[in-house]
């Protein structure tokens, strides 16, 4: 398992995902790639952040501001 | 990274070029006192720190002696390492010129070069290469000079630094920072949106100024706390240093152990004297409420009786049969219609028993009819009035509601009736706990005085002590003052944090009251807040998991070194005080009580932790670094020493270089030899650094250390 997938999975163990967002453990994806395509905002956003920080390719990494712009654009279009 | 070669050129007793060769795993360098062991480590340290003031002292006396006036030669230390399949060489050197009565030395320089897999050589900046090959943060935890230097964990922040370097928590630091950034940006966006609304702008500006000020105060207090903690650490070290000089160190150790136990006992006493919380949240404020409630109850009862009497009279005047039928003997006041309830009345009628007075009420009997009439009157009273002419004396049922309230309050009072005794018990308990703390403080003070008396009587190491002894008593007092200051800073930080939280709540409330845009931005902010929490909590979790793993592995190694002996269990405590967490290591016995280990047990404990960190590093990082230990086990017996070496040998993929004089002896001709037991020591490589014979130990220019591969 790639390092970024391990990091992503470790975030997915946080109790807030179940308690506040009602996410069932079995619906949590295994990889960052799958997470980025998720329809669940919190999973997608965490997947995106992991990819902007620990992307396998240098071009995939983003600055803090770029990450913020990318995520808020998406979040303003979905129901939270 | 594997250290493959170390070349010393004209460095102290290493005349000419002398090469040590190392491999992965356990490498042993044997060397008798004064024959080059410590000089090797010092040369190594010079390569790293490049200290200019020491240059002349590094020059080989033999080389200098053989050099003619006006001639020059080079003094250098170089290392060759294999890192990620590249061969990297670092060389620090300076030039010595022999003058008539002195020497002239140039400034030292550092060269670096890298040879890649294709054999291409590139010259690079030596200092930059050094930092990439062997980062300074790692170096200080890789080289240990003597048994005492293993006590790196006396510094409470060292272990935390090590954990931060080696554990997976390091990878999460950037997530923590990114989470905080996103949260702050989202918060700013909400504020900007709210700021467009003049209604909120003024209040919001004020809150933001307060928040900024509280955050500034926290930084100030945390900086002061950090400085105080450093002073505390230094004081503790100084006190320990003086104590280590003392002849009767055993006695001091015993007292220290008792003081430690007393401190643990003291720290386990928790005084919960947050009376404000008790007063409001626990309802203590209502302790004198009974009198008011009694007065209220009497008033309601009196008024209610009056109301019933008036109602009966009114109903009679209105000619109501039902009311007449409900008239009680002796013109007593009837119970309210709702007492007993409709359900109870129906149940009594069905069973034909008055369950209030336990009397039979057969169908058609007077009691049965009375109950039936009451039930009908109750049903009637709950129906909306159909007659326009019917006049109700009390159209609203306010008094009834007050009566219910009175009943409810009286019921609840049961819970409050124990408050006065709770207050009494709490005050007594706190008083007794405070007295216990005072008593423990007195005992600790007495123990400290005992220590001062012992130190005062010590005759050994008087010269060394004379300067420090004067300060010892002062340090003890300073330490107490510093402890109080630490507590005060911690308290202040807590208080400011409470203010900060309250101010944030105000801000949240304003944000919630904004328009559609603000609401959406607030949702995004809350979302990022959750993400920041997930990132931070996970980082802390990884840190704690590393500590737990470290503790487990260190204990496994500790048992291996001390096979069959009583060791106790290594316990690592992480405490968050101020900006940085601190770690404390203790040995616990079977009853989980801390005890002071003897020297060899303490050393084996430190080595176990260092080796455990090394083990865990390989699990969490791609890189590992060599460890150099000079005479780490001088307090160890033969068996324990061999077990330690075996344990180090068994740590896979860890390069360790151990230098010591053990396994060397002299024969009847005063000739050094390696004792047979060394054959049993498992190792990857062994070298013997020894002085070329003959030499004159009064003439440095005769000294030349040679390296023999064993």
């Amino acid at each position: 398992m790639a390092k970024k997938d391990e990091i992503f999975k470790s975030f997915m163990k946080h109790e807030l995902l179940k308690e506040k967002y009602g996410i069932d453990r079995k619906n949590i994806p295994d990889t960052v790639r799958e997470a980025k395509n998720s329809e669940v905002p919190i999973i997608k956003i965490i997947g995106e952040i992991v990819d902007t920080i620990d992307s396998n390719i240098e071009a995939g990494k983003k600055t803090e501001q770029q990450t913020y712009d990318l995520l808020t654009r998406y979040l303003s279009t979905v129901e939270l | 990274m594997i250290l493959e070669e170390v070349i010393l050129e004209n460095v102290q007793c290493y005349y000419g070029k002398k090469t040590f060769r190392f491999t992965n795993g356990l490498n042993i360098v044997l060397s008798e006192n004064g024959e080059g062991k410590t000089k090797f480590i010092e040369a190594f340290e010079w390569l790293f720190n490049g200290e200019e003031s020491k240059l002349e002292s590094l020059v080989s006396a033999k080389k200098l002696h053989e050099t003619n006036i006006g001639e020059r030669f080079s003094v250098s230390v170089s290392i060759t390492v294999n890192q990620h399949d590249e061969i990297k060489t670092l060389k620090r050197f300076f030039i010595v010129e022999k003058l008539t009565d002195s020497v002239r030395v140039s400034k030292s320089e550092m060269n670096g070069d890298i040879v890649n897999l294709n054999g291409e050589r590139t010259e690079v900046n030596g200092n930059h290469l050094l930092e990439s090959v062997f980062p300074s943060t790692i170096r200080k935890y890789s080289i240990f000079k003597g048994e005492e230097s293993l006590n790196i964990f006396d510094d409470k922040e060292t272990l935390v630094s090590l954990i931060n370097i080696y554990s997976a928590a390091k990878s999460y630091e950037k997530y923590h920072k990114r989470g905080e950034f996103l949260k702050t940006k989202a918060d700013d966006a909400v504020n900007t949106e709210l700021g467009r609304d003049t209604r909120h702008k003024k209040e919001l500006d004020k809150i933001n100024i307060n928040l900024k000020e509280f955050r500034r105060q926290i930084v100030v207090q945390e900086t002061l706390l950090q400085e105080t903690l450093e002073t505390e650490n230094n004081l503790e070290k100084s006190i320990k240093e003086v104590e280590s000089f003392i002849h009767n160190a055993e006695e001091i150790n015993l007292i220290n152990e008792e003081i430690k136990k007393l401190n643990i006992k003291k720290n386990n006493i928790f005084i919960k004297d947050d009376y404000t919380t008790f007063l409001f949240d626990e309802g203590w404020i209502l302790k004198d409420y009974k009198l008011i409630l009694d007065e209220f109850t009497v008033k309601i009862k009196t008024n209610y009786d009056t109301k019933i009497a008036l109602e009966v009279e009114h109903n009679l005047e209105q000619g109501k049969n039902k009311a007449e039928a409900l008239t009680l003997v002796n013109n007593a006041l009837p119970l309210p219609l709702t007492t007993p309830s409709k359900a109870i009345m129906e149940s009594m009628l069905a069973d034909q028993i008055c369950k209030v007075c336990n009397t039979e009420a057969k169908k058609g009997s007077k009691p049965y009819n009375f109950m039936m009439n009451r039930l009908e009157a109750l049903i009637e009273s709950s129906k909306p009035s159909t007659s326009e002419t019917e006049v109700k004396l009390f159209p609203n049922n306010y008094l009834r509601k007050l009566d219910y309230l009175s009943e409810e309050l009286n019921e609840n009072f049961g819970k409050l009736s124990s408050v006065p005794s709770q207050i009494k018990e709490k005050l007594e308990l706190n008083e007794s706990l405070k007295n216990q703390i005072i008593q423990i403080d007195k005992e600790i003070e007495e123990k400290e005085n005992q220590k001062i008396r012992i130190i005062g009587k010590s005759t050994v190491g008087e010269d060394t002590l004379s300067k420090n002894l004067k300060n010892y008593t002062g340090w003890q007092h300073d330490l107490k003052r510093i402890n109080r200051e630490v507590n005060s800073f911690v308290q202040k930080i807590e208080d400011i944090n409470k203010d900060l939280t309250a101010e944030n709540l105000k801000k949240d409330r304003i944000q919630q009251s904004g328009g559609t845009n603000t609401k959406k931005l607030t949702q995004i902010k809350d979302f990022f807040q959750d993400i920041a929490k997930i990132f931070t909590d996970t980082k802390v979790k990884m840190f704690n998991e590393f500590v737990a793993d470290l503790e487990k592995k260190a204990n496994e190694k500790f048992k291996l070194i001390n096979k069959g002996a009583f060791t106790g269990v290594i316990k690592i405590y992480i405490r968050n005080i101020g900006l940085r967490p601190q770690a404390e290591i203790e040995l616990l016995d079977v009853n989980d009580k801390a005890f002071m280990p003897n020297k060899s047990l303490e050393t084996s404990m430190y080595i176990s932790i260092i080796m455990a960190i090394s083990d865990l590093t390989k699990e969490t990082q791609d890189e590992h670094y060599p460890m150099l230990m000079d005479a780490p086990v001088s307090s160890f017996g033969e068996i324990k020493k061999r077990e330690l070496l075996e344990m180090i040998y068994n740590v896979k993929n860890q390069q360790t270089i151990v230098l010591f004089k053990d396994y060397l002896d002299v024969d009847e001709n005063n000739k050094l030899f390696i004792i047979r037991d060394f054959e049993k020591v498992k190792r990857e490589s062994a070298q013997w650094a020894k002085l070329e014979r003959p030499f004159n130990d009064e003439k440095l220019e005769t000294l030349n250390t040679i390296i023999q591969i064993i």
Side-chain angles (χ1 to χ4, degrees):
Chain A
M1 187 184 269
K3 186 185 168 197
K4 65 175 181 176
D5 293 332
E6 279 178 23
I7 290 176
F8 167 75
K9 290 282 277 180
S10 67
F11 292 138
M12 290 297 110
K13 288 179 187 158
H14 199 284
E15 61 208 15
L16 211 58
L17 275 100
K18 190 175 180 205
E19 285 174 9
K20 184 168 175 182
Y21 293 91
I23 298 167
D24 199 324
R25 293 245 178 272
K26 60 177 187 279
N27 294 331
I28 291 175
D30 286 324
T31 64
V32 169
R33 198 165 58 84
E34 289 166 357
K36 285 174 72 178
N37 291 322
S38 172
E39 285 177 4
V40 182
I42 190 118
I43 293 179
K44 180 179 168 65
I45 291 286
I46 292 177
E48 291 283 1
I49 296 175
V50 175
D51 207 37
T52 61
I53 292 179
D54 276 315
S55 177
N56 296 336
I57 46 167
E58 210 49 39
K61 293 181 180 169
K62 289 187 170 54
T63 64
E64 290 175 327
Q65 186 61 46
Q66 286 170 334
T67 313
Y68 176 74
D69 294 340
L70 173 84
L71 301 182
T72 43
R73 260 200 309 276
Y74 162 74
L75 287 172
S76 57
T77 62
V78 292
E79 190 75 28
L80 292 177
Chain B
M1 185 264 273
I2 300 295
L3 178 64
E4 294 189 332
E5 201 174 77
V6 178
I7 302 174
L8 307 181
E9 181 191 20
N10 296 322
V11 179
Q12 295 180 321
C13 54
Y14 293 93
Y15 166 79
K17 276 192 179 181
K18 297 290 158 56
T19 305
F20 288 88
R21 290 200 168 80
F22 302 109
T23 182
N24 202 1
L26 175 61
N27 299 264
I28 296 174
V29 176
L30 299 180
S31 187
E32 188 47 84
N33 284 347
E35 301 213 358
K37 181 166 41 75
T38 306
K39 302 298 177 202
F40 172 83
I41 294 276
E42 283 174 4
F44 215 82
E45 283 181 327
W46 177 69
L47 173 81
F48 292 143
N49 62 33
E51 205 178 316
E52 292 290 311
S53 62
K54 281 189 172 176
L55 295 188
E56 272 188 46
S57 66
L58 287 172
V59 179
S60 156
K62 185 174 168 66
K63 180 67 184 174
L64 190 63
H65 180 71
E66 290 176 359
T67 302
N68 294 321
I69 291 168
E71 283 182 354
R72 296 173 179 189
F73 63 92
S74 169
V75 174
S76 68
V77 179
S78 66
I79 59 169
T80 301
V81 304
N82 186 332
Q83 190 176 36
H84 310 307
D85 292 330
E86 287 183 326
I87 304 300
K88 299 174 180 179
T89 304
L90 281 156
K91 179 177 178 178
R92 193 183 286 280
F93 68 98
F94 60 92
I95 304 297
V96 182
E97 183 183 355
K98 187 170 176 180
L99 304 174
T100 313
D101 296 320
S102 60
V103 291
R104 183 186 292 145
V105 293
S106 68
K107 282 198 164 183
S108 73
E109 287 179 49
M110 180 79 126
N111 286 347
D113 67 58
I114 302 172
V115 179
N116 68 15
L117 271 172
N118 302 325
E120 295 157 347
R121 178 182 295 272
T122 317
E123 277 191 24
V124 292
N125 179 305
N127 289 314
H128 292 174
L129 181 62
L130 172 62
E131 198 53 34
S132 76
V133 165
F134 211 163
S136 49
T137 45
I138 307 278
R139 259 179 266 153
K140 63 178 176 179
Y141 306 125
S142 297
I143 302 173
F144 302 97
K145 271 170 73 181
E147 204 165 350
E148 285 302 325
S149 71
L150 292 165
N151 296 9
I152 51 169
F153 305 115
D154 278 354
D155 181 338
K156 291 173 186 170
E157 288 181 14
T158 301
L159 185 57
V160 175
S161 307
L162 272 171
I163 293 167
N164 279 328
I165 291 168
Y166 290 124
S167 80
K170 192 185 171 196
S171 312
Y172 289 82
E173 183 56 36
K174 50 196 176 208
Y175 286 94
H176 164 69
K177 283 188 181 152
R178 181 85 32 121
E180 289 301 309
F181 176 86
L182 295 171
K183 188 175 83 175
T184 311
K185 284 293 281 185
D187 191 48
D188 289 347
V190 180
N191 287 338
T192 309
E193 184 64 26
L194 269 173
R196 293 183 217 283
D197 185 341
T198 46
R199 284 176 306 163
H200 299 305
K201 192 172 183 332
K202 206 174 161 188
E203 199 179 348
L204 204 63
D205 284 350
K206 195 180 156 198
I207 291 172
N208 282 330
I209 289 169
N210 287 344
L211 284 173
K212 200 174 167 188
E213 174 58 17
F214 290 145
R215 286 190 195 112
R216 188 194 67 79
Q217 284 179 20
I218 288 175
V219 171
V220 170
Q221 293 299 325
E222 285 189 329
T223 310
L224 290 171
L225 172 63
Q226 211 51 51
E227 284 168 6
T228 316
L229 285 170
E230 273 159 29
T231 313
E232 185 187 41
N233 212 351
N234 290 337
L235 266 175
E236 281 172 353
K237 269 191 219 161
S238 302
I239 289 169
K240 211 170 174 181
E241 198 180 349
V242 173
E243 288 172 358
S244 69
F245 290 137
I246 309 305
H247 178 56
N248 19 18
E250 274 301 309
E251 206 173 335
I252 288 279
N253 276 349
L254 280 174
I255 297 175
N256 277 339
E257 199 179 330
E258 284 168 17
I259 292 175
K260 200 169 184 178
K261 281 179 189 165
L262 285 167
N263 273 321
I264 291 171
K265 196 173 162 190
K266 186 177 155 184
N267 290 337
N268 284 334
I269 298 176
F270 296 107
I271 300 180
K272 204 176 171 191
D273 58 358
D274 186 2
Y275 293 115
T276 311
T277 309
F278 290 123
L279 200 59
F280 294 102
D281 295 353
E282 303 293 320
W284 282 14
I285 201 168
L286 299 170
K287 82 178 172 60
D288 292 326
Y289 164 71
K290 176 83 171 91
L291 293 173
I292 300 163
L293 180 64
D294 286 349
E295 191 187 337
F296 175 76
T297 311
V298 169
K299 279 185 180 166
I300 298 301
K301 175 88 176 66
T302 314
N303 283 308
Y304 196 73
D305 286 349
T306 311
K307 181 197 166 198
I308 297 287
L310 290 171
E311 261 180 343
V312 169
E313 201 178 316
H314 174 76
N315 288 344
L316 284 170
E317 279 171 16
Q318 297 280 314
K320 283 192 172 177
N321 292 336
K322 296 286 182 208
E324 274 179 85
L326 293 175
T327 308
L328 299 186
V329 290
N330 299 333
N331 286 328
L333 283 173
L335 288 169
L337 274 178
T338 48
T339 309
S341 67
K342 179 173 172 273
I344 293 172
M345 290 295 291
E346 282 169 349
S347 151
M348 292 198 292
L349 285 164
D351 296 340
Q352 300 183 24
I353 297 171
C354 171
K355 294 179 182 175
V356 179
C357 57
N358 195 22
T359 312
E360 215 174 31
K362 288 274 179 207
K363 201 169 179 178
S365 69
K366 204 173 171 184
Y368 183 91
N369 291 340
F370 179 81
M371 287 196 289
M372 183 56 86
N373 285 339
R374 273 191 66 92
L375 179 63
E376 284 168 2
L378 174 62
I379 293 165
E380 192 70 27
S381 71
S382 60
K383 282 181 188 167
S385 172
T386 49
S387 161
E388 285 178 14
T389 56
E390 189 181 330
V391 181
K392 273 195 171 182
L393 186 61
F394 297 101
N396 302 307
N397 225 0
Y398 298 135
L399 205 54
R400 180 65 200 144
K401 283 176 189 164
L402 283 170
D403 188 46
Y404 282 141
L405 180 65
S406 168
E407 279 175 27
E408 196 184 327
L409 291 174
N410 274 293
E411 250 181 56
N412 289 340
F413 183 75
K415 293 172 200 161
L416 293 171
S417 60
S418 61
V419 167
S421 57
Q422 277 176 27
I423 295 174
K424 192 165 173 271
E425 281 167 19
K426 176 60 76 186
L427 289 173
E428 281 170 2
L429 176 68
N430 282 352
E431 193 58 29
S432 122
L433 293 176
K434 280 175 191 166
N435 285 336
Q436 279 182 39
I437 289 176
I438 292 169
Q439 192 55 39
I440 293 172
D441 280 340
K442 274 186 193 164
E443 285 178 48
I444 291 174
E445 198 172 344
E446 177 50 32
K447 299 280 172 208
E448 299 288 2
N449 288 336
Q450 272 181 34
K451 270 166 53 179
I452 292 168
R453 285 197 292 276
I454 292 168
I455 288 164
K457 281 180 199 164
S458 173
T459 52
V460 176
E462 255 178 6
D463 294 342
T464 327
L465 279 176
S466 59
K467 192 176 71 180
N468 289 337
L469 267 178
K470 286 179 197 160
N471 298 326
Y472 186 76
T473 318
W475 288 341
Q476 295 279 8
H477 288 296
D478 286 349
L479 191 60
K480 279 182 196 163
R481 181 178 49 79
I482 296 279
N483 287 154
R484 281 197 296 272
E485 279 179 24
V486 167
N487 290 337
S488 154
F489 286 130
V490 170
Q491 187 57 50
K492 273 185 197 158
I493 292 167
E494 265 180 32
D495 291 345
I496 303 169
N497 265 321
K498 277 182 193 164
D499 291 340
L500 192 75
T501 309
E503 214 64 16
N504 269 323
L505 281 173
K506 279 190 211 166
K507 193 172 170 180
D508 282 350
R509 275 197 291 274
I510 296 175
Q511 289 178 346
Q512 300 295 341
S513 66
T516 321
N517 275 352
T518 313
K519 282 207 170 86
K520 182 69 188 173
L521 289 170
T522 306
Q523 281 179 343
I524 293 177
K525 183 206 79 175
D526 292 343
F527 195 77
F528 281 138
Q529 208 162 300
D530 286 346
I531 286 177
K533 182 174 165 51
I534 291 171
F535 288 172
T536 308
D537 288 353
T538 309
K539 183 188 128 187
V540 173
K541 190 178 155 210
M542 300 313 279
F543 182 92
N544 291 338
E545 278 178 7
F546 185 85
V547 173
D549 275 356
L550 178 65
E551 202 177 88
K552 188 169 164 257
K553 279 194 189 294
N555 275 306
E556 285 166 10
K557 295 186 186 306
F558 193 42
K559 296 276 177 232
L560 274 177
I561 304 174
N562 300 285
K563 240 181 248 172
F566 168 74
T567 54
V569 175
I570 300 170
K571 185 80 197 157
I572 300 170
Y573 297 99
I574 303 289
R575 294 189 172 93
N576 285 305
I577 301 174
L579 293 171
R580 286 172 281 186
Q582 298 192 340
E584 276 184 48
I585 300 164
E586 277 184 350
L587 266 186
L588 303 182
D589 65 15
V590 279
N591 299 316
D592 282 346
K593 292 251 189 288
F595 69 97
M596 298 282 276
N598 60 35
K599 189 69 203 160
S600 72
L601 196 60
E602 187 182 42
T603 301
S604 65
M605 176 175 86
Y606 290 137
I607 291 179
S608 303
I609 298 170
I610 291 167
M611 300 309 287
I613 288 174
S614 170
D615 251 20
L616 286 168
T617 307
K618 286 184 282 294
E619 290 175 14
T620 53
Q621 301 223 326
D622 301 331
E623 187 57 292
H624 56 95
Y625 302 92
M627 260 196 284
L628 264 87
M629 296 179 179
D630 175 18
V633 289
S634 42
S635 68
F636 281 35
E638 279 308 313
I639 298 170
K640 201 166 172 180
K641 197 185 313 164
R642 205 166 52 238
E643 280 170 353
L644 170 75
L645 290 173
E646 191 165 336
M647 189 268 284
I648 296 175
Y649 174 81
N650 286 328
V651 177
K652 297 293 168 215
N653 214 16
Q654 168 64 47
Q655 185 180 33
T656 309
I657 299 165
V658 179
L659 299 99
F660 54 11
K661 63 171 185 169
D662 307 71
Y663 300 106
L664 290 173
D665 207 346
V666 281
D667 62 15
E668 62 274 15
N669 302 317
N670 222 18
K671 195 180 166 195
L672 272 174
F673 71 96
I674 298 169
I675 60 173
R676 278 195 145 196
D677 271 2
F678 190 59
E679 287 169 14
K680 296 178 196 162
V681 176
K682 292 179 187 168
R683 75 262 176 175
E684 296 298 338
S685 89
Q687 290 156 95
W688 183 5
K690 60 180 175 181
L691 283 173
E692 190 180 38
R693 263 74 178 174
F695 65 86
N696 183 338
D697 57 7
E698 289 178 358
K699 288 187 175 175
L700 283 175
E701 60 266 28
T702 64
L703 303 185
N704 175 27
T705 297
I706 53 172
I707 319 292
Q708 181 187 324
I709 294 171
I710 308 165

